[in-house]
Amino acid sequence: MYYKLPKIDYYRPKTLDEAIRLLREIDNSRVIAGGTDLLVDMKTSRVRVRALVDISSIPDLRGIEDLGRTIRIGAATRLQELIESNVVSQNLPLLKAAVESMGSWQIRNMATIGGNLCNASPAADTAPPLLAYDAEFVVIGSEGLRVIPSTKFFVGYRKTALNPCEILKEILVKKSEWSGWSYVKLGRRGGFTLSVVAVAVLAKVIDGVVYDVRIALNSVAPVPIRAYKAEEVVRGKRVSWSLIEEAANTVAGEVTPIDDVRSTSWYRREMSYQLAKDALAKALGVA
Amino acid sequence: MIVVEDPRTLIRRWLSAESCIVVGKSIERSDSLEKALGRARFVEDYLEEGYLFARLALAKAPHARIKKIDYSKALEDPKVLRVFTYRDIPGENQVGYAVPDQPLLAEGKVRYYGEAVAVVVGKDPDSVNSAVENVFLEIEPLPALFDPLEAMERGDILIHESLGSNIAFRTKVRKGDVEEGFSKADVVVENTYRTHHQEHVYLEPEAALAIPDLENRMTVIATIQYPHLGQKIVSKVLGLPSSYIKIIAPYIGGGFGGKDDEGPLVAARAALAAYHLRRPVLLYYTREDSIQTHPKREATVIKYKSGASKDGKLTAIEVTIIHDSGAYANRGPFILWRATMHASGPYYVPNAKVDGYCVYTNKVPQGSFRGFGNPSVQFAAESQMDQLAEKLGLDPVEFRLNNMLRVGSDTITGQVLTSSVGIHEALKKLSAVSNWRVKRLEYSERRTGRTRRGIGVAVAWHGNSTSRAVPDWSNSYIHISRDGSVNVYTGIVEMGQGSPSSSHRQLVSEILGCPIDKVKVVFGTTDAPDTGATHASRGTSVGAIGIVVAAGRIRSRLESFLSEYYNVQREEIKISDGVVIVGNKIKMSWEELVALAYSKGVDLSATGYFFLPKGTFDDDAGRGFAYPAFSFIAIIVEVEVDIYTGRVKVLEVHPALAIGRVINPDAVKTQVEGAIIQGIGYTLMEKLVFADDGRIVNDNLTDYVIPTSHETPVIRNAIFVEDVWDYGPFGAKGVGEMAFIPMPAAIANAVSHALGVRITELPLTPEKVYSITKQLVG
Ligand SMILES: Cc1cc2nc3c(=O)[nH]c(=O)nc-3n(C[C@H](O)[C@H](O)[C@H](O)COP(=O)(O)OP(=O)(O)OC[C@H]3O[C@@H](n4cnc5c(N)ncnc54)[C@H](O)[C@@H]3O)c2cc1C
């Protein structure tokens, strides 16, 4: 298929300062990381830009580090690196499970975690786990650094809290002991596909009592969401099937899905219930 | 010894060949290495510096009168050279294949969203891409029709005014007396089935590179399944003799029928631009253009009533088949004929009444796609068979075997099958090998819990060659060079199926007795004699009959020459695998034989034309000859259904085929596997979504999902019943489409078995299945 991208200027800065300067100085410029979202959008003219600033070779944006109490993930870290990282599998198994469900090996070797978040698709798969972990997003612009809680990052359909010319620098997750976790994703085929609904659950169960729980979903609202009401239902209670069903019902009441080519809103709501049940059962250790 | 030139004698000689050297073996394809290394060239790879680029401007309304095509803004860019519309066509704009209803470029009216309106040509893709968006149609909108059932009834809105109706075409088959048949029935099942469109998703979207020469001749390198049809259409559009047009189909990245319909059109549109500009032009479709504009598998509504008696025999069927033809008939009438002829499934039915309607709507046209109208009607027929068996308390396999066609049976068109009917044996063996009875019982008894297992069966038949008495033939040209290397010229193309790179080489090597690496097949070109299209599973079955005849002629000349030269009987001559033995003294190599033959004046070039003998079909009576032979298949499928989500997973597929002689088992296996996976995609997930204005919403591969390796089940080795066909090369019948055809029915039957509920509408998406299983969850 002879399908060239429109002509654009391309920059590959070596430092964050330079990247920010380029974004500020060039009209209609845009960050590119792995390009697995952006290039597709440019080919179909959903996005039209004049210049691309490739941030994938800025050292400050790469890498996964265990900082003691916190895990730091550079925004331009590739998804496959997350899967292969010991730090991630030991500390953030829920994130690993979500990333394993994404794209194909080829895509994961290009795609970055920052790209997935900044693209802000309602179906983004790294969002539910990071919402559940209560991660913090460090962003940088000409005014300097600021920290945005993950729960404040997605502000609307494909919209983030980033100001123009700001770059997502890194993701910070505080370490915490979770007794169980689960990522359940339903797509239109067995793999290599966007979700119809996905549910992430983290749980801390001590002696059969839920000490803490986090529930997050994608594809059921304009942005990836936390199911706070359902969390309230579960928190502090003794684990039981009826509790799980009550929580799953609450999840189904909290979501605001739409009809699109992937699914009807009816099916999404139904699946929010079914998948929440599955995810809770596994995370609470009753499956 | 006399030379045998008669095609039938030659075909018969090789039909009975026994100990073969290469035929029947999994010989490696000659194109596998090139393709694995990325060296194989496809249309775009022939692009050279300085060639021009072109794209189509597509209509953005479903039904409208065209007042003006305004492309002045597109021409503001100096790099955009020309925009061609119907006005620029020097010959004819009319390119309908079955009926004259379709323009190459929209003229007067637009009849579907995505219809080709203009060809935009420029110096680089950037300019062309923007220019395409600057071609504007001034229109007078007309009310549009999207539902075929509504369109059939409406006389006030006409998609093709001159016809006076939206029914483009009708077909029928009649046998016996259905009233009487149903009166003898102890059980009757009646249902309405619905099937949906399918997009081909070939890896390579359509493209054509048209190169004019100084003498006004035109060479077009195109994604096309029938070069000679492309030649005919280009010649018609340009108003030039066919002899001025040369079409080349290089390697093609998948066709599945789609490039049989769109191939000649993309060639003609590129040629139109090159003709006027006198420069080479590459016309390419983006994925979105491709999905919006090219014809799809037909969507259908099938009303099916069938009856059977207590002793387990079918007594009658009454079927109404409605095809949503979209804006143009395209190949719709041929597709409808095939559906009508096959409506019974491969069973003996004493009384049958089948009516077909091909109905215009304001949607993308229907077209050729693996199975050609047959998968939808087999889905209906085979769903009926399961329900009849259930009502009769019979095992579905048993009931099918009870009614299966055999040698000597007559079909619903009244054609008596005189040979090559191996389906009874195939299903019997399949049932044993797949452990059908045990599993069927086991899963029936285990209908509890979250995941439910089911096992289903479906059989299918598929006529070889064109329906009714529509002429069909094979042809090829073979030439042996002085060094013993062999060129085979065929119009059959290589689009992944591998006939020119495997079976054709095997046939030539076997018949001539030369080593297989001496055989080079020049395929997909109008420089070869017209071989017919590479469609309808005919690349080897019909396509290679000409090769058998041409190679057989040369073999016969060589034998005759040797027998005279050495004064021996034919029986004393052996030419096999490059070694020539005459009597018990003389031994030489293939190369030596060729050199000797040349020196003594033997003609080592031959054509091999064969016109398939057929009977007649009476369209008005709905009776007569349907096909020269049928290929058969039986499939048993095991599924698992998650009743909490509605997700269906196909676990295992067992195929059994009666397709005559198997020339290359690996090649057959790849066709069977590919068709099964494509069938799973169609049945479980693929679905075009139309907006209110008829636009295809999911015109990309993010939104139109096809199966991946995740959906690929365990596919068991196929059982083969080699029920040779009298005219097939060594007795081969067609296989390419076969495994697709019963898949929707087999999966649906397995899902019904798992759930105890029947679904009559495809696709079986999780959502649709869940709407049923939700009640089972409790
Ligand atoms: C075949 C295929 C399968 C896919 N499967 C999945 C899937 O299963 N689940 C899923 O969630 N997604 C999937 N995706 C989408 C995509 O791969 C992911 O969203 C990916 O993580 C995007 O990352 P990227 O680095 O490629 O982003 P890019 O395309 O480079 O960028 C995406 C957007 O984010 C902006 N951006 C990128 N990095 C930054 C930054 N550091 N700061 C500020 N803005 C930034 C860009 O400007 C752009 O707007 C798939 C894509 C494809 C093509």
Side-chain angles (χ1 to χ4, degrees), chain B residues 10-11 14 476 478 507 511 544-553 728-730:
Chain B
L10 291 166
I11 292 166
W14 298 101
S476 95
I478 296 181
L507 294 167
I511 293 172
I545 301 175
I547 287 174
V548 170
V549 173
R553 282 177 176 161
F730 287 68

Side-chain angles (χ1 to χ4, degrees), chain B residues 545-586:
Chain B
I545 301 175
I547 287 174
V548 170
V549 173
R553 282 177 176 161
I554 297 177
R555 166 85 181 214
S556 180
R557 289 175 203 164
L558 285 170
E559 285 173 345
S560 164
F561 159 70
L562 285 172
S563 110
E564 272 165 31
Y565 190 73
Y566 291 110
N567 198 15
V568 293
Q569 296 297 307
R570 198 187 94 173
E571 290 69 37
E572 296 173 72
I573 301 165
K574 287 201 177 60
I575 314 174
S576 165
D577 201 19
V579 181
V580 185
I581 295 170
V582 185
N584 42 22
K585 288 200 201 73
I586 299 144

Side-chain angles (χ1 to χ4, degrees), chain B residues 226-228 231 473-478 488-492 522-533 538 543 546-547 550 606-610:
Chain B
Y226 187 3
H228 290 83
Q231 181 183 47
W473 61 89
S474 187
N475 207 348
S476 95
Y477 166 66
I478 296 181
V488 181
Y489 290 83
T490 176
I492 295 301
V522 181
F523 58 83
T525 167
T526 49
D527 284 350
D530 184 347
T531 320
R538 75 190 283 291
I547 287 174
T607 54
Y609 180 70
F610 185 65

